[in-house]
Amino acid sequence: MMKKANLRAAETDGAWIEINLNNLKHNVKTLKSAMPQGCDLMAVVKANAYGHGALQISECINRMGVKAFAVASIDEGIELRRHGITGEILILGFTSPAQTRELHKYKLTQTLIDYDYAAALNGQGYNIKAHVKIDTGMHRLGFESTDTEAIAKAFALRHIEISGIYTHLCVSDSLAAQDIDFTHTQIRRFYSSLDGLKERGIKIPKTHIQSSYGFLNYPELNCDYIRAGVALYGILSSPMNATKLRLDLRPVLSLKSKIILIRQVKCGESVGYGRSFITEKNSRIAIISIGFADGFPRNLSCNNSAVLIGGQRAPVVGKICMDYLAVDITDIDNVCAGDIATLIGKDGNDELCAAAVAENANSITSELLSRMGGRLKIAAKN
Ligand SMILES: *Cc1c(COP(=O)(O)O)cnc(C)c1O
């Protein structure tokens, strides 16, 4: 039977996410104090703030004085505005020119990804704010860095007020020599574009280059914004990522669920789909209410991951199902139905880091967290 005392609001059905707002605030302060003077934090809250809950995260740090946010899409931007988030909200991605009126109405700042796009937005006749994106080598979105003529033409568009200009680095997380070289090339291309614009008499607006790793590995750059995602949430992309600047950033998110049933499984019996796990002795198996539909990847099945119960590690056995997974608790004492299982985060003296879980799933932290399922409740703790 369930232990009644453990049934608190957000914890009642299935799995949930716990957000530690103190750690979030700590990360904002830590990042800001490491940034050059005059540089501001732009909080990247796309994809529901990497699974953390965009509204709760944005409200908390907006109240602390963070005045710039970045989202992926216009819908994400509108949601923040409707809930009273103030300051600049930059859409990093593409918005259909058919939605220019909404860009204007919600005072969202649109990224200009090339000249034809800028002209199409301008042609709608609504005054909007924008940042120019320059492609310095990633070859995804942005004006060709050498095409200062096109960029200058965008500055001249009547209905578009350009308040920022930026680029994105594609190997700034790596400290391998050739990657550092490439990053320096990107940075050089960016500043030579700016020089070209200055020669054409254009006043350079706010500049930004670095995302989290760009900042942690190239802290000496002197821009107006740092666009921080993973660093804000206190996580690394992968467990072994060394960075030049080492900051005391603390994880904001924990992923938890509960044991709903404990069963005895005799030696030689199997657990789960495909019978991939066969017990080698009489075993105690705990069934936990979380599955791949909650964003816990199925390739963490079969001893490729563990959960913490009462500060002890219990390996995941058999295949992870859509809504449940099984762990082996044969060697762990004092485990009861209703106990909390931590899948990401701390329990007692042990911790499962998001980066390590992501790596076991052959992925990176941002993918793991941004795919956390819609049915997880998010509970904020101070
Ligand atoms: C997602 C994104 C960021 C944030 O990246 P992190 O590595 O999470 O800090 C910054 N800039 C752009 C253009 C992005 O798409």
Side-chain angles (χ1 to χ4, degrees), residues 75-370:
D75 291 346
E76 292 178 345
I78 290 174
E79 197 199 1
L80 296 187
R81 276 286 186 254
R82 283 202 175 136
H83 287 85
I85 299 300
T86 59
E88 174 142 61
I89 300 178
L90 173 64
I91 300 170
L92 299 167
F94 172 86
T95 302
S96 164
Q99 285 188 287
T100 313
R101 188 172 153 268
E102 282 73 35
L103 291 174
H104 168 80
K105 177 176 172 193
Y106 292 100
K107 297 188 166 57
L108 301 170
T109 305
Q110 175 58 44
T111 293
L112 304 180
I113 58 174
D114 74 356
Y115 179 74
D116 290 345
Y117 177 65
L121 290 173
N122 185 66
Q124 303 292 315
Y126 295 97
N127 291 338
I128 58 164
K129 274 180 54 163
H131 285 199
V132 167
K133 186 165 194 186
I134 300 187
D135 174 20
T136 53
M138 177 145 176
H139 302 322
R140 186 176 59 177
L141 309 180
F143 289 74
E144 188 64 50
S145 66
T146 49
D147 196 357
T148 38
E149 188 187 338
I151 304 170
K153 265 166 63 191
F155 272 87
L157 292 170
R158 183 167 163 210
H159 295 293
I160 300 184
E161 179 200 339
I162 295 173
S163 57
I165 189 162
Y166 73 103
T167 192
H168 194 43
L169 304 173
C170 54
V171 279
S172 62
D173 56 332
S174 163
L175 293 176
Q178 76 270 23
D179 294 333
I180 292 176
D181 276 354
F182 190 76
T183 301
H184 283 141
T185 300
Q186 285 196 278
I187 294 166
R188 215 171 31 246
R189 286 175 179 166
F190 181 72
Y191 284 110
S192 77
S193 277
L194 299 193
D195 288 342
L197 292 171
K198 281 181 210 154
E199 278 164 23
R200 290 169 185 272
I202 286 166
K203 192 169 166 288
I204 302 301
K206 291 191 170 185
T207 58
H208 43 115
I209 298 177
Q210 304 136 290
S211 58
S212 297
Y213 279 94
F215 176 51
L216 296 171
N217 286 329
Y218 303 86
E220 66 283 356
L221 294 180
N222 205 345
C223 293
D224 295 297
Y225 286 123
I226 306 283
R227 303 184 304 269
V230 285
L232 179 65
Y233 308 113
I235 46 186
L236 294 171
S237 280
S238 309
M240 300 309 285
N241 273 152
T243 54
K244 199 165 156 192
L245 189 66
R246 296 212 181 137
L247 300 177
D248 166 32
L249 299 169
R250 302 176 185 168
V252 174
L253 177 145
S254 304
L255 176 64
K256 298 188 177 179
S257 186
K258 267 199 242 164
I259 299 178
I260 54 143
L261 182 68
I262 293 176
R263 59 190 323 136
Q264 313 293 329
V265 178
K266 290 219 171 77
C267 179
E269 288 289 318
S270 64
V271 176
Y273 286 121
R275 307 195 62 220
S276 59
F277 174 71
I278 310 283
T279 50
E280 285 173 357
K281 56 184 175 187
N282 290 340
S283 300
R284 291 208 317 146
I285 300 295
I287 305 298
I288 298 179
S289 178
I290 186 170
F292 58 75
D294 299 300
F296 200 70
R298 186 168 176 274
N299 63 359
L300 290 173
S301 297
C302 305
N303 266 312
N304 202 13
S305 58
V307 309
L308 297 174
I309 301 168
Q312 303 178 88
R313 282 190 189 220
V316 171
V317 292
K319 296 273 190 237
I320 293 171
C321 308
M322 187 180 277
D323 314 309
Y324 293 102
L325 58 80
V327 298
D328 190 343
I329 54 165
T330 312
D331 300 326
I332 304 179
D333 296 328
N334 298 323
V335 180
C336 304
D339 282 359
I340 290 179
T342 299
L343 298 103
I344 296 173
K346 267 192 191 151
D347 183 13
N349 293 323
D350 205 351
E351 179 169 12
L352 297 166
C353 296
V357 175
E359 188 177 65
N360 288 337
N362 286 320
S363 185
I364 55 169
T365 318
S366 354
E367 185 189 9
L368 176 74
L369 297 185
S370 65

